[in-house]
Amino acid sequence: MAVITLRRPERRNALGRELCRDLRAAYEAFEEDTDVAVGILTGEGNFCAGRDIKETRWDAEGPHDAGFPSPDLFYYSQLTKPLIAAVNSYAFGGGMLLALAFPDLVICAESAVFELSEVQRSLLGAWELGWNLGLPRAAAMEIALGYRMSGRRAYELGLANAVVPDDQLLDTAREYAQKLLVLPPAIIRRHRELLRKHADRPMSAEVKALWERYWDEHMHSVDFDEGDRAFLEKREAKYRINAYARDFEEQSAMNYTGTARRAVYGVDQHEPT
């Protein structure tokens, strides 16, 4: 088995450029190593605090530089081998996706805390996570609205396989991995693939079009980068009740083409002194 450890403890393993690059490389090495059949993903000190706001900038293609958008890391992994997430402490935003979106098994430490922090940062994204994971509407909404969730709560909802004391986290993950190592690898691979395809919930064309429309509206809103700027400036964010320009929203609703000019963010972004 292989243990992949996120090591950027000074930033709570926030997903910056180098960490995203290294994680992709680790996944590739894990996939290509014929002597390794099972992987464990964990973090040093914390699991992952999500995207590194200080390294993220936005342009016409959306957020990038800190490895975003990163569907290959979160949703559409091509790994053919089982991956176990061993989650300790914070798993926020992108960290929550790393922990829950595609690992096959999830072991939580008592300290584990999940949160879709996109909500607090006024970012439209990952709202569908709970629904994609097969949760009932109320539980999926709990995630979509940004409520914090303990490892125990994740276990109760069926998102985790076990909750253990922090000092038993890796040992428990290794025990789960060891059970897979004595089973026929071809059957494990095919059962895993069949279950994933069976559980897939493709987004309807209607919802996809609405999401794209809302994305463009949000990129033009006054709230667009307020969450990130407030975080960087160490102040409370000030969101508007009427964040969206009515004329843009009405025009977009009548004739959305997906080609609207997007806002540019991060060009003058500086870390506060």
Side-chain angles (χ1 to χ4, degrees):
M1 73 183 73
V3 178
I4 301 172
T5 304
L6 303 174
R7 285 200 173 97
R8 200 188 178 203
E10 72 282 1
R11 298 287 294 149
R12 293 182 176 176
N13 298 326
L15 295 168
R17 288 183 294 273
E18 292 185 6
L19 189 55
C20 284
R21 180 199 63 200
D22 292 346
L23 182 55
R24 287 191 180 92
Y27 281 162
E28 290 174 4
F30 166 56
E31 179 69 16
E32 294 170 3
D33 193 336
T34 57
D35 293 327
V36 176
V38 183
I40 297 172
L41 176 65
T42 192
E44 182 179 319
N46 296 270
F47 187 75
C48 177
R51 69 185 171 100
D52 191 329
I53 294 176
K54 293 182 179 180
E55 291 189 23
T56 305
R57 64 179 293 273
W58 297 70
D59 63 15
E61 298 301 322
H64 67 98
D65 279 0
F68 287 81
S70 300
D72 58 316
L73 293 180
F74 303 140
Y75 289 115
Y76 307 117
S77 167
Q78 300 301 312
L79 293 180
T80 62
K81 304 173 184 179
L83 183 68
I84 300 170
V87 185
N88 49 321
S89 193
Y90 298 121
F92 288 176
M96 185 175 185
L97 298 178
L98 279 180
L100 300 179
F102 78 83
D104 301 280
L105 300 169
V106 180
I107 312 300
C108 288
E110 292 284 359
S111 64
V113 182
F114 299 94
E115 179 185 277
L116 189 65
S117 49
E118 282 79 352
V119 179
Q120 283 75 16
R121 299 285 178 262
S122 185
L123 180 64
L124 185 68
W127 51 270
E128 77 282 18
L129 176 64
W131 178 252
N132 286 349
L133 293 174
L135 294 182
R137 185 188 63 80
M141 192 66 75
E142 182 178 335
I143 292 176
L145 296 183
Y147 284 90
R148 287 195 176 186
M149 179 185 299
S150 67
R152 179 66 58 182
R153 175 64 172 157
Y155 174 73
E156 292 169 353
L157 290 174
L159 296 176
N161 300 90
V163 183
V164 298
D166 282 50
D167 60 0
Q168 297 177 23
L169 179 62
L170 275 180
D171 286 342
T172 303
R174 288 190 177 99
E175 289 175 7
Y176 271 76
Q178 195 64 43
K179 291 178 181 179
L180 293 175
L181 293 176
V182 300
L183 297 175
I187 296 300
I188 292 298
R189 183 166 57 252
R190 290 182 173 180
H191 273 200
R192 177 179 178 270
E193 180 184 358
L194 288 168
L195 181 59
R196 283 177 168 275
K197 290 186 180 298
H198 179 59
D200 187 34
R201 293 185 174 190
M203 190 181 300
S204 71
E206 179 183 6
V207 173
K208 186 175 185 295
L210 188 61
W211 183 10
E212 291 173 347
R213 194 192 103 199
Y214 283 173
W215 176 263
D216 267 351
E217 290 173 1
H218 183 66
M219 295 285 277
H220 286 79
S221 76
V222 294
D223 277 355
F224 165 59
D225 62 355
E226 171 63 13
D228 283 1
R229 290 189 182 277
F231 178 84
L232 292 170
E233 295 168 8
K234 296 179 173 61
R235 60 173 174 80
E236 184 178 348
K238 299 177 181 179
Y239 297 119
R240 309 286 183 85
I241 295 176
N242 298 315
Y244 303 100
R246 179 175 299 178
D247 56 345
F248 179 83
E249 188 170 359
E250 291 175 351
Q251 180 182 355
S252 177
M254 288 186 294
N255 184 27
Y256 176 71
T257 64
T259 59
R261 182 181 64 83
R262 289 184 168 93
V264 177
Y265 166 64
V267 175
D268 61 346
Q269 176 178 306
H270 300 283
E271 183 176 343
T273 57

